[in-house]
Coordinates of all heavy atoms in Angstrom, one line a residue:
M1084 N -10.1 14.8 -6.4 CA -8.8 14.1 -6.4 C -8.0 14.4 -5.2 O -7.9 15.5 -4.8 CB -8.0 14.5 -7.7 CG -6.7 13.8 -7.7 SD -5.5 14.0 -9.1 CE -6.0 15.4 -10.0
I1085 N -7.3 13.4 -4.7 CA -6.5 13.6 -3.5 C -5.1 14.0 -3.9 O -4.5 13.5 -4.8 CB -6.4 12.2 -2.7 CG1 -7.8 11.9 -2.1 CG2 -5.4 12.3 -1.6 CD1 -7.9 10.6 -1.4
R1086 N -4.7 15.1 -3.2 CA -3.3 15.6 -3.4 C -2.5 15.5 -2.1 O -3.0 16.0 -1.1 CB -3.5 17.1 -3.9 CG -2.1 17.8 -4.0 CD -1.8 18.1 -5.5 NE -0.7 18.9 -5.6 CZ 0.5 18.4 -6.0 NH1 0.5 17.2 -6.5 NH2 1.5 19.2 -6.1
I1087 N -1.4 14.9 -2.2 CA -0.5 14.8 -1.1 C 0.8 15.6 -1.4 O 1.4 15.4 -2.4 CB -0.1 13.3 -0.8 CG1 -1.4 12.6 -0.4 CG2 0.9 13.2 0.3 CD1 -1.2 11.1 -0.2
T1088 N 1.1 16.5 -0.5 CA 2.3 17.4 -0.8 C 3.5 17.0 0.1 O 4.6 17.5 -0.3 CB 1.9 18.9 -0.5 OG1 1.5 19.0 0.8 CG2 0.8 19.3 -1.5
A1089 N 3.3 16.3 1.1 CA 4.4 15.9 2.0 C 4.0 14.7 2.8 O 2.9 14.3 3.0 CB 4.7 17.1 3.0
V1090 N 5.1 14.0 3.3 CA 4.9 12.8 4.1 C 5.6 13.0 5.4 O 6.8 13.4 5.5 CB 5.4 11.5 3.4 CG1 5.3 10.3 4.3 CG2 4.8 11.3 2.1
D1091 N 4.9 12.9 6.5 CA 5.4 13.1 7.9 C 5.8 11.7 8.5 O 4.9 10.9 8.7 CB 4.4 13.8 8.7 CG 4.8 14.0 10.2 OD1 5.9 13.5 10.6 OD2 4.1 14.7 10.9
F1092 N 7.1 11.5 8.7 CA 7.6 10.2 9.2 C 7.9 10.3 10.7 O 8.6 9.4 11.2 CB 8.9 9.8 8.5 CG 8.8 9.6 7.1 CD1 9.1 10.6 6.2 CD2 8.3 8.4 6.5 CE1 9.0 10.4 4.8 CE2 8.2 8.2 5.2 CZ 8.6 9.2 4.3
T1093 N 7.4 11.2 11.5 CA 7.8 11.5 12.8 C 7.1 10.7 13.9 O 7.5 10.7 15.1 CB 7.7 13.0 13.2 OG1 6.4 13.4 13.0 CG2 8.7 13.8 12.2
A1094 N 6.0 10.0 13.6 CA 5.2 9.3 14.6 C 6.1 8.2 15.3 O 6.7 7.4 14.5 CB 4.0 8.7 14.1
P1095 N 6.2 8.1 16.6 CA 7.1 7.2 17.2 C 6.8 5.7 16.9 O 7.7 4.9 16.6 CB 6.9 7.4 18.7 CG 6.4 8.8 18.8 CD 5.6 9.0 17.6
R1096 N 5.5 5.4 16.8 CA 5.2 4.0 16.5 C 5.6 3.6 15.1 O 6.2 2.6 14.8 CB 3.7 3.8 16.6 CG 3.3 2.3 16.3 CD 1.8 2.1 16.6 NE 1.4 0.7 16.5 CZ 0.3 0.2 16.8 NH1 -0.7 1.0 17.2 NH2 0.0 -1.0 16.7
F1097 N 5.4 4.5 14.1 CA 5.8 4.3 12.7 C 7.4 4.1 12.7 O 7.8 3.2 12.0 CB 5.4 5.4 11.8 CG 5.8 5.3 10.4 CD1 5.2 4.4 9.5 CD2 7.0 5.9 9.9 CE1 5.6 4.2 8.2 CE2 7.4 5.7 8.6 CZ 6.7 4.8 7.8
K1098 N 8.1 5.0 13.3 CA 9.6 4.9 13.3 C 10.0 3.6 13.9 O 10.9 3.0 13.4 CB 10.2 6.1 14.0 CG 10.0 7.4 13.3 CD 10.8 8.6 13.8 CE 10.8 8.8 15.2 NZ 11.4 10.1 15.6
R1099 N 9.4 3.2 15.0 CA 9.8 1.9 15.6 C 9.5 0.7 14.7 O 10.3 -0.2 14.6 CB 9.0 1.8 17.0 CG 9.4 0.6 17.8 CD 8.7 0.6 19.1 NE 7.2 0.6 19.0 CZ 6.4 1.6 19.4 NH1 7.0 2.8 19.8 NH2 5.1 1.6 19.2
E1100 N 8.3 0.7 14.1 CA 8.0 -0.4 13.2 C 8.9 -0.4 11.9 O 9.2 -1.5 11.4 CB 6.5 -0.3 12.8 CG 5.6 -0.6 14.0 CD 4.1 -0.5 13.7 OE1 3.8 0.1 12.6 OE2 3.3 -1.0 14.5
L1101 N 9.2 0.8 11.4 CA 10.1 0.9 10.3 C 11.5 0.3 10.6 O 12.0 -0.5 9.8 CB 10.2 2.3 9.8 CG 11.1 2.5 8.5 CD1 10.4 1.8 7.3 CD2 11.2 4.0 8.3
R1102 N 12.0 0.6 11.7 CA 13.3 0.0 12.1 C 13.3 -1.5 12.3 O 14.3 -2.2 12.2 CB 13.8 0.7 13.4 CG 14.3 2.1 13.3 CD 15.1 2.5 14.5 NE 14.2 2.5 15.7 CZ 13.5 3.5 16.2 NH1 13.5 4.7 15.5 NH2 12.8 3.4 17.3
A1103 N 12.1 -2.0 12.6 CA 12.0 -3.5 12.9 C 11.9 -4.3 11.7 O 12.1 -5.6 11.8 CB 10.7 -3.7 13.8
I1104 N 11.5 -3.8 10.5 CA 11.4 -4.6 9.3 C 12.8 -4.7 8.6 O 13.7 -3.9 8.9 CB 10.4 -4.0 8.3 CG1 10.7 -2.6 7.9 CG2 9.0 -4.1 8.9 CD1 9.7 -2.0 6.9
P1105 N 13.0 -5.7 7.8 CA 14.3 -6.0 7.2 C 14.7 -4.7 6.3 O 13.9 -4.0 5.7 CB 14.0 -7.2 6.3 CG 12.9 -7.9 6.9 CD 12.0 -6.8 7.5
P1106 N 16.0 -4.5 6.2 CA 16.6 -3.4 5.5 C 16.1 -3.2 4.0 O 15.8 -2.1 3.6 CB 18.1 -3.6 5.5 CG 18.3 -4.4 6.7 CD 17.1 -5.3 6.9
E1107 N 16.0 -4.3 3.3 CA 15.5 -4.2 1.9 C 14.1 -3.7 1.9 O 13.7 -2.9 1.0 CB 15.7 -5.6 1.2 CG 15.2 -5.6 -0.2 CD 15.9 -4.6 -1.1 OE1 17.0 -4.1 -0.8 OE2 15.3 -4.3 -2.2
I1108 N 13.2 -4.2 2.8 CA 11.8 -3.8 2.8 C 11.8 -2.3 3.3 O 11.0 -1.5 2.8 CB 11.0 -4.7 3.7 CG1 10.9 -6.1 3.0 CG2 9.6 -4.1 3.9 CD1 10.2 -7.1 3.8
Q1109 N 12.7 -1.9 4.2 CA 12.7 -0.5 4.6 C 13.0 0.4 3.4 O 12.4 1.4 3.2 CB 13.9 -0.3 5.6 CG 13.6 -0.8 7.0 CD 14.8 -0.5 7.9 OE1 15.6 0.3 7.6 NE2 14.8 -1.3 9.0
R1110 N 14.0 0.0 2.6 CA 14.4 0.7 1.4 C 13.2 0.9 0.4 O 12.9 2.0 -0.1 CB 15.6 0.1 0.7 CG 16.1 0.9 -0.5 CD 17.2 0.1 -1.2 NE 16.8 -1.0 -1.9 CZ 16.1 -1.0 -3.1 NH1 15.9 0.2 -3.7 NH2 15.7 -2.1 -3.7
L1111 N 12.5 -0.3 0.1 CA 11.4 -0.2 -0.8 C 10.2 0.6 -0.2 O 9.6 1.3 -1.0 CB 10.9 -1.7 -1.0 CG 11.8 -2.6 -1.8 CD1 11.3 -4.0 -1.8 CD2 11.9 -2.1 -3.3
A1112 N 10.1 0.5 1.1 CA 9.0 1.3 1.7 C 9.2 2.8 1.6 O 8.3 3.6 1.3 CB 8.9 0.9 3.2
L1113 N 10.5 3.2 1.9 CA 10.8 4.7 1.8 C 10.6 5.2 0.4 O 10.1 6.3 0.2 CB 12.2 4.9 2.3 CG 12.3 4.7 3.8 CD1 13.8 4.9 4.3 CD2 11.4 5.7 4.6
I1114 N 11.0 4.4 -0.6 CA 10.8 4.8 -2.0 C 9.3 4.9 -2.3 O 8.8 5.9 -2.9 CB 11.4 3.8 -3.0 CG1 12.9 3.9 -2.9 CG2 11.0 4.0 -4.4 CD1 13.7 2.7 -3.6
A1115 N 8.5 3.9 -1.9 CA 7.0 4.0 -2.1 C 6.4 5.2 -1.4 O 5.5 5.8 -2.0 CB 6.4 2.7 -1.6
L1116 N 6.8 5.4 -0.2 CA 6.2 6.6 0.5 C 6.6 7.9 -0.1 O 5.8 8.8 -0.1 CB 6.6 6.5 2.0 CG 6.1 5.2 2.7 CD1 6.6 5.2 4.1 CD2 4.6 5.2 2.7
Q1117 N 7.8 8.0 -0.6 CA 8.2 9.2 -1.3 C 7.3 9.4 -2.6 O 7.0 10.5 -3.0 CB 9.6 9.2 -1.7 CG 10.5 9.4 -0.4 CD 12.0 9.1 -0.7 OE1 12.4 8.6 -1.8 NE2 12.8 9.5 0.2
D1118 N 6.9 8.3 -3.2 CA 6.1 8.3 -4.4 C 4.7 8.8 -4.1 O 3.9 9.2 -5.1 CB 6.0 7.0 -5.1 CG 7.3 6.6 -5.8 OD1 8.1 7.5 -6.1 OD2 7.4 5.5 -6.2
L1119 N 4.3 8.9 -2.9 CA 2.9 9.4 -2.5 C 2.8 10.8 -3.0 O 1.6 11.3 -3.3 CB 2.7 9.3 -1.0 CG 2.3 8.0 -0.5 CD1 2.2 8.1 1.0 CD2 1.0 7.5 -1.1
V1120 N 3.8 11.6 -3.0 CA 3.7 13.0 -3.4 C 3.7 13.2 -4.9 O 3.5 14.4 -5.4 CB 4.8 13.9 -2.7 CG1 4.7 13.8 -1.2 CG2 6.2 13.5 -3.2
R1121 N 3.8 12.2 -5.7 CA 3.7 12.3 -7.1 C 2.3 12.4 -7.5 O 1.4 11.9 -6.9 CB 4.3 11.1 -7.8 CG 5.8 11.0 -7.7 CD 6.5 9.9 -8.4 NE 5.9 9.5 -9.6 CZ 6.0 8.3 -10.2 NH1 6.7 7.4 -9.6 NH2 5.5 8.1 -11.4
Q1122 N 2.0 13.2 -8.6 CA 0.7 13.3 -9.1 C 0.6 12.7 -10.5 O 1.4 13.1 -11.3 CB 0.2 14.7 -9.2 CG -0.3 15.3 -7.9 CD -1.4 14.5 -7.3 OE1 -1.2 13.7 -6.4 NE2 -2.6 14.8 -7.6
P1123 N -0.2 11.8 -10.8 CA -1.0 11.0 -9.9 C -0.2 10.0 -9.1 O 0.9 9.6 -9.5 CB -2.0 10.3 -10.8 CG -1.3 10.1 -12.1 CD -0.3 11.3 -12.2
I1124 N -0.8 9.6 -8.0 CA -0.2 8.6 -7.1 C -0.1 7.3 -8.0 O -1.0 6.8 -8.6 CB -1.0 8.3 -5.9 CG1 -1.1 9.6 -5.0 CG2 -0.5 7.2 -5.1 CD1 -2.0 9.6 -3.9
P1125 N 1.1 6.7 -8.0 CA 1.3 5.5 -8.8 C 0.3 4.3 -8.5 O 0.1 4.1 -7.3 CB 2.7 5.1 -8.5 CG 3.4 6.3 -8.1 CD 2.3 7.1 -7.3
K1126 N -0.2 3.7 -9.5 CA -1.2 2.6 -9.3 C -0.5 1.4 -8.6 O -1.2 0.7 -7.8 CB -1.7 2.1 -10.6 CG -2.7 3.1 -11.3 CD -3.3 2.5 -12.5 CE -4.1 3.6 -13.2 NZ -5.5 3.6 -12.8
R1127 N 0.8 1.2 -8.7 CA 1.4 0.1 -8.1 C 1.4 0.2 -6.5 O 1.5 -0.8 -5.9 CB 2.9 0.0 -8.5 CG 3.8 1.1 -8.0 CD 5.2 1.0 -8.4 NE 6.0 2.1 -8.1 CZ 6.4 2.4 -6.8 NH1 6.1 1.6 -5.8 NH2 7.1 3.5 -6.6
L1128 N 1.1 1.3 -6.0 CA 1.0 1.5 -4.5 C -0.4 1.0 -4.0 O -0.5 0.8 -2.8 CB 1.2 2.9 -4.1 CG 2.5 3.6 -4.4 CD1 2.6 5.0 -3.9 CD2 3.6 2.7 -3.7
R1129 N -1.3 0.8 -4.9 CA -2.7 0.3 -4.5 C -3.2 1.2 -3.4 O -3.7 0.7 -2.3 CB -2.6 -1.1 -4.1 CG -2.2 -2.0 -5.3 CD -2.3 -3.4 -5.0 NE -3.6 -3.9 -5.0 CZ -4.0 -5.1 -4.6 NH1 -3.0 -6.0 -4.3 NH2 -5.2 -5.5 -4.5
F1130 N -3.2 2.5 -3.6 CA -3.7 3.5 -2.6 C -5.2 3.3 -2.4 O -6.0 3.2 -3.3 CB -3.5 4.9 -3.3 CG -3.9 6.0 -2.5 CD1 -3.1 6.6 -1.5 CD2 -5.1 6.6 -2.7 CE1 -3.5 7.7 -0.8 CE2 -5.6 7.7 -2.0 CZ -4.7 8.3 -1.0
E1131 N -5.6 3.2 -1.1 CA -7.0 3.0 -0.8 C -7.4 3.6 0.5 O -6.6 3.6 1.5 CB -7.3 1.5 -0.8 CG -6.6 0.7 0.3 CD -7.0 -0.8 0.2 OE1 -8.0 -1.2 -0.4 OE2 -6.2 -1.6 0.7
K1132 N -8.6 4.1 0.5 CA -9.1 4.7 1.8 C -9.8 3.6 2.5 O -10.5 2.8 2.0 CB -10.2 5.8 1.4 CG -10.7 6.5 2.6 CD -11.6 7.6 2.2 CE -12.1 8.3 3.5 NZ -13.0 9.5 3.2
L1133 N -9.6 3.5 3.8 CA -10.2 2.5 4.6 C -11.6 2.9 5.1 O -11.8 4.1 5.4 CB -9.3 2.2 5.9 CG -8.0 1.6 5.6 CD1 -7.3 1.3 6.9 CD2 -8.0 0.4 4.8
S1134 N -12.5 2.0 5.1 CA -13.8 2.2 5.6 C -14.1 1.4 6.8 O -13.4 0.4 7.1 CB -14.9 1.9 4.5 OG -14.7 0.5 4.2
G1135 N -15.0 1.8 7.6 CA -15.4 1.1 8.8 C -14.5 1.4 10.0 O -14.5 0.7 11.0
H1136 N -13.7 2.5 10.0 CA -12.9 2.9 11.1 C -13.4 4.2 11.6 O -14.0 5.0 10.9 CB -11.4 3.0 10.7 CG -10.8 1.6 10.3 ND1 -10.4 0.7 11.2 CD2 -10.7 1.0 9.1 CE1 -10.0 -0.4 10.6 NE2 -10.1 -0.2 9.3
K1137 N -13.0 4.5 12.9 CA -13.5 5.7 13.5 C -13.0 6.9 12.8 O -13.7 7.9 12.7 CB -13.0 5.7 15.0 CG -13.7 4.7 15.9 CD -13.1 4.8 17.3 CE -13.7 3.7 18.1 NZ -13.1 3.6 19.4
N1138 N -11.8 6.9 12.4 CA -11.2 8.1 11.7 C -11.4 7.9 10.2 O -10.7 7.0 9.6 CB -9.7 8.2 12.0 CG -9.2 9.5 11.5 OD1 -9.7 10.1 10.6 ND2 -8.1 10.0 12.1
P1139 N -12.2 8.7 9.5 CA -12.4 8.5 8.1 C -11.3 8.8 7.1 O -11.4 8.6 6.0 CB -13.7 9.3 7.8 CG -13.6 10.4 8.8 CD -12.9 9.8 10.0
S1140 N -10.2 9.4 7.7 CA -9.2 9.9 6.8 C -7.9 9.0 6.8 O -6.8 9.4 6.6 CB -8.7 11.3 7.1 OG -8.3 11.4 8.4
I1141 N -8.1 7.7 7.1 CA -7.0 6.7 7.1 C -7.0 6.0 5.8 O -7.9 5.5 5.3 CB -7.2 5.7 8.3 CG1 -7.1 6.4 9.6 CG2 -6.1 4.6 8.2 CD1 -7.4 5.5 10.8
Y1142 N -5.7 5.9 5.3 CA -5.5 5.3 4.0 C -4.3 4.3 4.1 O -3.6 4.4 5.1 CB -5.0 6.4 3.0 CG -6.1 7.4 2.7 CD1 -6.3 8.5 3.5 CD2 -6.9 7.3 1.5 CE1 -7.3 9.4 3.2 CE2 -7.9 8.2 1.3 CZ -8.1 9.3 2.1 OH -9.0 10.2 1.9
T1143 N -4.3 3.4 3.1 CA -3.1 2.5 3.1 C -2.5 2.4 1.7 O -3.2 2.7 0.7 CB -3.6 1.0 3.5 OG1 -4.5 0.5 2.6 CG2 -4.1 1.0 4.9
V1144 N -1.3 2.0 1.7 CA -0.6 1.8 0.4 C 0.3 0.5 0.6 O 0.7 0.2 1.7 CB 0.3 2.9 0.0 CG1 -0.5 4.1 -0.4 CG2 1.3 3.3 1.1
H1145 N 0.5 -0.2 -0.5 CA 1.3 -1.4 -0.5 C 2.7 -0.8 -0.8 O 2.9 -0.1 -1.7 CB 0.9 -2.3 -1.6 CG -0.4 -3.0 -1.3 ND1 -0.5 -4.3 -0.9 CD2 -1.6 -2.5 -1.3 CE1 -1.8 -4.6 -0.7 NE2 -2.5 -3.5 -0.9
V1146 N 3.7 -1.2 0.0 CA 5.1 -0.7 -0.1 C 6.1 -1.6 -0.7 O 7.2 -1.2 -1.0 CB 5.6 -0.1 1.3 CG1 4.7 1.0 1.7 CG2 5.7 -1.2 2.3
T1147 N 5.7 -2.9 -1.0 CA 6.5 -3.8 -1.6 C 5.9 -4.3 -2.9 O 4.7 -4.4 -3.0 CB 6.9 -5.0 -0.7 OG1 5.6 -5.6 -0.3 CG2 7.7 -4.6 0.5
P1148 N 6.7 -4.7 -3.9 CA 6.1 -5.1 -5.2 C 5.2 -6.4 -5.1 O 4.3 -6.5 -5.8 CB 7.3 -5.5 -6.0 CG 8.5 -4.7 -5.4 CD 8.1 -4.6 -4.0
N1149 N 5.5 -7.3 -4.1 CA 4.7 -8.5 -3.9 C 3.5 -8.3 -3.0 O 2.8 -9.2 -2.6 CB 5.6 -9.6 -3.5 CG 6.2 -9.4 -2.1 OD1 5.9 -8.4 -1.4 ND2 6.9 -10.4 -1.6
H1150 N 3.3 -7.0 -2.5 CA 2.2 -6.6 -1.7 C 2.3 -7.3 -0.3 O 1.2 -7.4 0.4 CB 0.9 -6.8 -2.3 CG 0.8 -6.2 -3.7 ND1 0.9 -4.9 -3.9 CD2 0.7 -6.8 -4.9 CE1 0.8 -4.6 -5.2 NE2 0.7 -5.7 -5.8
S1151 N 3.4 -7.7 0.2 CA 3.5 -8.4 1.5 C 3.5 -7.4 2.6 O 3.1 -7.7 3.7 CB 4.8 -9.2 1.6 OG 6.0 -8.3 1.5
H1152 N 3.9 -6.1 2.3 CA 3.9 -5.1 3.4 C 3.1 -3.9 3.0 O 3.1 -3.5 1.8 CB 5.4 -4.7 3.7 CG 6.1 -5.7 4.5 ND1 6.5 -6.9 3.9 CD2 6.4 -5.7 5.8 CE1 7.1 -7.6 4.9 NE2 7.1 -6.9 6.0
K1153 N 2.5 -3.3 4.0 CA 1.6 -2.1 3.8 C 2.0 -1.0 4.8 O 2.6 -1.3 5.8 CB 0.2 -2.4 4.0 CG -0.5 -3.3 2.9 CD -1.9 -3.7 3.3 CE -2.9 -2.6 2.9 NZ -4.3 -3.1 3.1
A1154 N 1.6 0.2 4.5 CA 1.8 1.3 5.4 C 0.4 2.0 5.5 O -0.3 2.0 4.5 CB 2.8 2.3 5.0
S1155 N 0.1 2.5 6.7 CA -1.1 3.3 6.8 C -0.8 4.7 7.3 O 0.3 4.9 7.9 CB -2.0 2.6 7.9 OG -1.5 2.7 9.2
F1156 N -1.6 5.6 6.9 CA -1.4 7.0 7.2 C -2.7 7.7 7.3 O -3.7 7.3 6.8 CB -0.5 7.7 6.2 CG -1.0 7.7 4.8 CD1 -1.7 8.8 4.4 CD2 -0.7 6.7 4.0 CE1 -2.2 8.8 3.0 CE2 -1.2 6.7 2.7 CZ -1.9 7.8 2.2
E1157 N -2.7 8.8 8.1 CA -3.8 9.7 8.2 C -3.5 10.9 7.3 O -2.5 11.5 7.3 CB -4.0 10.1 9.6 CG -5.2 11.0 9.8 CD -5.5 11.4 11.3 OE1 -4.8 10.8 12.2 OE2 -6.3 12.2 11.5
L1158 N -4.5 11.3 6.5 CA -4.4 12.5 5.7 C -4.9 13.7 6.4 O -6.0 13.8 6.8 CB -5.2 12.3 4.4 CG -4.8 13.2 3.2 CD1 -3.3 13.1 2.9 CD2 -5.6 12.8 2.0
V1159 N -3.9 14.6 6.7 CA -4.2 15.8 7.4 C -4.0 17.0 6.5 O -2.8 17.3 6.2 CB -3.4 16.0 8.7 CG1 -3.7 17.3 9.4 CG2 -3.5 14.8 9.6
G1160 N -5.1 17.5 5.9 CA -4.9 18.5 4.8 C -4.3 17.8 3.6 O -4.9 16.8 3.1
T1161 N -3.1 18.2 3.2 CA -2.4 17.5 2.1 C -1.1 16.8 2.6 O -0.3 16.4 1.8 CB -2.0 18.6 1.1 OG1 -1.1 19.5 1.7 CG2 -3.2 19.3 0.5
I1162 N -1.1 16.6 3.9 CA 0.1 15.9 4.5 C -0.3 14.5 4.9 O -1.3 14.3 5.7 CB 0.7 16.7 5.7 CG1 1.1 18.0 5.2 CG2 1.8 15.9 6.3 CD1 1.5 19.0 6.3
A1163 N 0.5 13.5 4.5 CA 0.3 12.1 4.9 C 1.1 11.9 6.2 O 2.3 11.9 6.2 CB 0.7 11.1 3.8
V1164 N 0.4 11.7 7.3 CA 1.0 11.5 8.6 C 1.0 10.0 8.8 O 0.0 9.3 9.0 CB 0.3 12.2 9.7 CG1 0.9 11.9 11.1 CG2 0.2 13.7 9.5
M1165 N 2.2 9.4 8.7 CA 2.4 8.0 8.8 C 2.0 7.4 10.2 O 2.3 8.0 11.2 CB 3.8 7.6 8.5 CG 4.3 8.0 7.1 SD 3.2 7.7 5.7 CE 3.1 5.9 5.8
R1166 N 1.2 6.3 10.1 CA 0.7 5.7 11.4 C 1.5 4.4 11.7 O 2.0 4.2 12.7 CB -0.8 5.4 11.3 CG -1.6 6.7 11.2 CD -3.1 6.3 10.8 NE -3.6 5.3 11.7 CZ -4.4 5.6 12.8 NH1 -4.6 6.8 13.1 NH2 -4.9 4.6 13.5
R1167 N 1.4 3.5 10.7 CA 2.0 2.1 10.9 C 2.6 1.6 9.6 O 2.3 2.1 8.5 CB 0.9 1.1 11.3 CG 0.2 1.5 12.5 CD -0.3 0.4 13.4 NE 0.6 -0.7 13.5 CZ 0.3 -2.0 13.5 NH1 -0.9 -2.3 13.3 NH2 1.2 -2.9 13.6
I1168 N 3.5 0.6 9.8 CA 4.1 -0.1 8.6 C 4.3 -1.5 9.1 O 4.7 -1.7 10.3 CB 5.4 0.5 8.1 CG1 5.8 -0.1 6.8 CG2 6.5 0.6 9.1 CD1 6.8 0.6 6.0
G1169 N 4.0 -2.5 8.3 CA 4.1 -3.9 8.7 C 3.6 -4.8 7.6 O 3.3 -4.4 6.5
T1170 N 3.4 -6.0 8.0 CA 2.8 -7.0 7.0 C 1.4 -6.6 6.6 O 0.7 -5.9 7.4 CB 2.9 -8.4 7.5 OG1 2.0 -8.5 8.6 CG2 4.3 -8.9 7.9
H1171 N 1.0 -7.1 5.5 CA -0.4 -6.9 5.0 C -1.4 -7.2 6.1 O -2.3 -6.4 6.5 CB -0.6 -7.7 3.8 CG -1.8 -7.3 3.0 ND1 -3.1 -7.7 3.3 CD2 -1.9 -6.6 1.8 CE1 -3.9 -7.2 2.4 NE2 -3.2 -6.6 1.5
K1172 N -1.2 -8.4 6.8 CA -2.1 -8.9 7.8 C -2.1 -7.9 9.0 O -3.2 -7.6 9.6 CB -1.7 -10.3 8.2 CG -2.7 -11.0 9.0 CD -2.1 -12.4 9.3 CE -3.2 -13.4 9.6 NZ -2.7 -14.7 9.8
E1173 N -1.0 -7.5 9.5 CA -0.9 -6.6 10.6 C -1.6 -5.3 10.4 O -2.4 -4.8 11.3 CB 0.6 -6.3 11.0 CG 1.4 -7.5 11.5 CD 2.8 -7.2 11.5 OE1 3.4 -6.3 10.8 OE2 3.5 -7.9 12.3
I1174 N -1.4 -4.7 9.2 CA -2.0 -3.4 8.9 C -3.5 -3.5 8.7 O -4.3 -2.7 9.1 CB -1.3 -2.7 7.7 CG1 0.2 -2.5 8.0 CG2 -2.0 -1.4 7.4 CD1 0.5 -1.7 9.2
D1175 N -3.9 -4.6 8.1 CA -5.4 -4.8 7.9 C -6.1 -5.0 9.3 O -7.2 -4.5 9.4 CB -5.7 -6.0 7.0 CG -5.5 -5.7 5.6 OD1 -5.3 -4.4 5.2 OD2 -5.5 -6.6 4.7
R1176 N -5.4 -5.6 10.2 CA -6.0 -5.8 11.5 C -6.1 -4.5 12.3 O -7.2 -4.2 12.9 CB -5.2 -6.8 12.3 CG -5.9 -8.2 12.4 CD -5.3 -9.1 13.4 NE -4.4 -10.0 12.6 CZ -3.2 -10.3 13.0 NH1 -2.7 -9.9 14.1 NH2 -2.4 -11.1 12.3
V1177 N -5.0 -3.8 12.4 CA -5.0 -2.5 13.2 C -4.2 -1.5 12.3 O -3.0 -1.4 12.4 CB -4.2 -2.7 14.5 CG1 -4.3 -1.4 15.3 CG2 -4.9 -3.9 15.3
P1178 N -4.9 -0.7 11.6 CA -4.3 0.3 10.7 C -3.7 1.5 11.5 O -3.0 2.3 11.1 CB -5.3 0.8 9.7 CG -6.6 0.4 10.4 CD -6.4 -0.7 11.4

């Protein structure tokens, strides 16, 4: 079972993309990302490990109820280091 104890929001690209999305989606995204540290991780986030990428520890979660936006992160130990946030299509193309 995957255990996440903290979320790291300091990556410049993640911060830039977070500022670029509408305020309501920002709010929903921050709530969803804080929920990553809950055990178990809520099913509504649709937590999934990506396959077929160079780095095997990349995961995504849906951050809006209608699944229009996703966030990707790398799991380093028990810390989720945020990589990107954007539309479902953007994140699926380049997580």
Side-chain angles (χ1 to χ4, degrees):
M1084 175 175 21
I1085 293 176
R1086 173 114 174 108
I1087 297 173
T1088 59
V1090 179
D1091 178 352
F1092 298 98
T1093 61
R1096 183 175 187 172
F1097 178 80
K1098 291 192 309 190
R1099 184 175 59 251
E1100 290 176 345
L1101 182 63
R1102 283 191 304 269
I1104 60 178
E1107 178 60 18
I1108 295 175
Q1109 286 179 22
R1110 186 184 70 76
L1111 292 169
L1113 291 174
I1114 290 168
L1116 296 175
Q1117 290 170 348
D1118 284 347
L1119 280 176
V1120 298
R1121 289 181 40 200
Q1122 279 305 96
I1124 295 170
K1126 289 184 187 272
R1127 69 177 173 77
L1128 295 180
R1129 298 182 73 186
F1130 179 84
E1131 62 183 339
K1132 183 175 182 176
L1133 296 183
S1134 60
H1136 294 279
K1137 293 178 185 175
N1138 189 338
S1140 61
I1141 296 176
Y1142 297 81
T1143 63
V1144 291
H1145 292 256
V1146 296
T1147 55
N1149 65 359
H1150 307 297
S1151 65
H1152 285 74
K1153 290 173 85 171
S1155 66
F1156 61 92
E1157 182 176 349
L1158 199 53
V1159 179
T1161 61
I1162 299 172
V1164 179
M1165 302 312 299
R1166 296 170 51 94
R1167 300 212 45 220
I1168 188 165
T1170 66
H1171 195 281
K1172 191 178 204 177
E1173 291 169 335
I1174 300 304
D1175 282 351
R1176 258 192 259 139
V1177 182

